[in-house]
Amino acid sequence: MDKSVYNLVDKRVGKFEDNSVDKLISGQSEQMTWLNMWSNYLTQAPFSQSAQAVNAAHILQQLVEASLQGDSCIQVDTTQLEALGDLAVSSEIATTQVAPCVYDQQGLALYRYWQLEQRLAHQICRLKRQTTQTIDLSSYQNLLSDEYQQAALKMVLQQWLSIITGGPGTGKTYTLARIIAALNQMIPDIRIAMAAPTGKAAQRMQEALQNSFNDPKLLESGLITDELRNQTTQTLHRLLGMGNRQTPRFDQKQPLPYDVIVVDEASMLDLNLATALFEAVPDHCRIILLGDANQLASVDVGSVLADLQQVDVLAENRVQLKNSRRFSDEAKIGQFARFIQAQQHATAHHSVLSKLESEIVKAEGLQPITFSKEMLDLIQLEYLPEQYDIEPYQQKLMYGFQNYLAALNDYIYLGDAADDIQQVIRAFDDYRILAAVKHGALGIEQLNRYAERWLNQQLKQIAVGDWYIGRPVMMTYNDYQLGLSNGDIGICFKHRSQPQQFEVFFPSLNKWIAAHRLPRNMQTAFVLTIHKSQGSEFTHTAIVLDAKAEKLLSQELIYTAVTRAKKVVSILADPNALQQALTIRTVRRSGLVQKINLG
């Protein structure tokens, strides 16, 4: 059979890999129309000789639908494999006989995902097989007092692959800073790369690392050098040298030139990106994955971090940090995060909200919040009725932007000095609205439009085209000419030298770009999808769960949203949607665990 046919199929299927909630809703009809056409076409001669074309088409549709949900494979029986005929081959001959699908003990997969799992498993086993020299840990034991953090330090010094997981406030970055300081002392001229899947996550990683490097106890140790103070972070796409064609510059033939590679927010790693990363890791280079396995999995196919947590042969390559410094046992946000994790599938939908109100927060409505240093963390909850006027609820969601509004007023009417700009940036990062869906009355599009109107009315300014002072924008793809990555967020100010023009400042890059140079499809970012918020941290988050998202919500989604907040969580939710989010755990089907264990 013509191999080019299958290459074409892989490319077309690849266009539908993004399974974020908003795209699932907005693009579902188009995807299913194409999917039906593709599966029916492929099951006809000359591509397939199977007599069960209808059954084969149905199985192919199931397989691609599963990939849209993030699964790399599905379970099939002998009868279904017979129906597929020569459209599927066994894994034993898949390297010599090309077909759209491959089956093994884990299930049926599209050839592309089966091959990615094979390649990734091979690279992980390569790192696992490498041996390290015995290291005297006595000089570094006093860097950390927590037993789990000490175990993480010991692991990294003794293993080439290390997986450090933990919930919010368990000290992942704090521990990493001390690990890096120890490695920097041990290895002369060490070359370290720090990366994260998105621009926002990379920015947050750099801020947290610099704070940890400036910890007085660590400074007293004498391990912090100028090189560490100047350590920068980047996106994984930049690290791998991926251009607009998404082909990495660094790979097996040209490995990355580092001794240590650290990846933060590793729960966001999809199968394709993880494979590209591990293939570019040279021999005898330490790779450290940090993340929270309870957060959302990647937007694309795969749940790499969650899978690595299940691999038996990697037991000594992972440590889970358990003691939270951010949230005490009495802290409401920490209690809420633990409440979400404790709910099981068997929890009755009708009782989970009653349990939530009795143990965590009563539904008493959203109120304006005044911050103070002494305030305890706070959770607010308000239910949406079946029928309602949307504007009062949109107005309530603006409560959190009052400090941002005040900072912009000072910038516009009292001066535009650098201090005023920094005040605006800090005020914006204090609050963010997180929505589950893109469309609908409480989706990010309409909420962002409402926030724009509200802000401009309050500031008594008129937008010029798409631009106005205070407009927050986010990149939704990588633009290497501008030096911007997917997830980078900037704020629009007056142009510093041409007051009649606008200029956007990107804090994570310390970069100014003239507004007219930015793409027209920049996304306004008062409101983000919960997926896009991963890697971010805000003083106050408002979480919006409306009825349109009910069937697509999960514990991972609401856990991710809740743990973005440091002090305040405000939830505006349809009751049924909140029930769904609290009771349904997402489990992606994958063959990666077995492939690594067998490797």
Side-chain angles (χ1 to χ4, degrees), residues 139-156:
S139 302
Y140 310 107
Q141 289 285 10
N142 62 346
L143 289 176
L144 294 160
S145 57
D146 180 283
E147 61 177 310
Y148 301 106
Q149 295 174 353
Q150 287 179 341
L153 170 63
K154 181 179 180 180
M155 172 181 65
V156 173

Side-chain angles (χ1 to χ4, degrees), residues 90-105:
S90 70
S91 58
E92 286 80 5
I93 62 172
T95 54
T96 56
Q97 184 174 333
V98 180
C101 307
V102 179
Y103 60 89
D104 55 21
Q105 291 182 342

Side-chain angles (χ1 to χ4, degrees), residues 200-263:
K200 186 64 179 176
Q203 174 196 355
R204 177 65 195 138
M205 182 186 189
Q206 178 147 352
E207 292 170 352
L209 265 177
Q210 292 308 317
N211 288 338
S212 294
F213 284 148
N214 289 322
D215 179 79
K217 183 178 178 181
L218 189 53
L219 290 173
E220 288 172 9
S221 71
L223 297 177
I224 300 301
T225 63
D226 289 339
E227 288 79 7
L228 287 184
R229 288 192 183 92
N230 296 325
Q231 179 72 48
T232 59
T233 61
Q234 58 190 312
T235 64
L236 282 171
H237 287 78
R238 283 199 182 112
L239 175 70
L240 294 169
M242 288 185 172
N244 292 326
R245 295 184 178 180
Q246 298 295 293
T247 301
R249 173 188 168 200
F250 295 100
D251 52 24
Q252 286 178 277
K253 293 181 180 178
Q254 186 176 355
L256 288 160
Y258 296 106
D259 304 300
V260 179
I261 298 170
V262 182
V263 179

Side-chain angles (χ1 to χ4, degrees), residues 9-17 34 38 64 67 110 113:
V9 168
D10 272 349
K11 289 179 181 178
R12 289 301 303 272
V13 171
K15 292 180 182 293
F16 297 101
E17 288 175 4
W34 181 85
W38 169 76
V64 182
S67 74
L110 289 170
Y113 300 130

Side-chain angles (χ1 to χ4, degrees), residues 155-167:
M155 172 181 65
V156 173
L157 296 184
Q158 296 180 341
Q159 302 289 339
W160 295 107
L161 169 63
S162 299
I163 305 161
I164 304 173
T165 59

Side-chain angles (χ1 to χ4, degrees), residues 165-181:
T165 59
T170 51
K172 293 187 292 293
T173 308
Y174 174 91
T175 305
L176 174 67
R178 282 149 179 77
I179 289 171
I180 294 301

Side-chain angles (χ1 to χ4, degrees), residues 285-333:
C285 168
R286 285 177 170 82
I287 180 166
I288 305 170
L289 304 181
L290 282 85
D292 185 345
N294 292 306
Q295 285 189 28
L296 282 165
S298 63
V299 170
D300 289 323
V301 171
S303 52
V304 174
L305 183 63
D307 284 347
L308 296 183
Q309 295 291 97
Q310 308 301 319
V311 177
D312 294 337
V313 298
L314 296 181
E316 61 183 1
N317 297 83
R318 54 181 180 255
V319 168
Q320 181 181 5
L321 307 182
K322 297 182 179 180
N323 300 319
S324 177
R325 271 68 175 173
R326 186 193 304 174
F327 302 127
S328 66
D329 290 341
E330 296 76 29
K332 282 294 183 183
I333 296 176

Side-chain angles (χ1 to χ4, degrees), residues 88-136:
V89 296
S90 70
S91 58
E92 286 80 5
I93 62 172
T95 54
T96 56
Q97 184 174 333
V98 180
C101 307
V102 179
Y103 60 89
D104 55 21
Q105 291 182 342
Q106 289 81 57
L108 178 74
L110 289 170
Y111 182 89
R112 177 185 182 187
Y113 300 130
W114 174 84
Q115 186 187 51
L116 284 172
E117 287 185 343
Q118 289 285 111
R119 289 162 55 190
L120 179 55
H122 174 75
Q123 296 303 322
I124 290 171
C125 292
R126 170 178 65 91
L127 291 172
K128 176 64 180 174
R129 285 193 295 268
Q130 294 181 156
T131 57
T132 58
Q133 295 179 340
T134 302
I135 296 172
D136 181 6

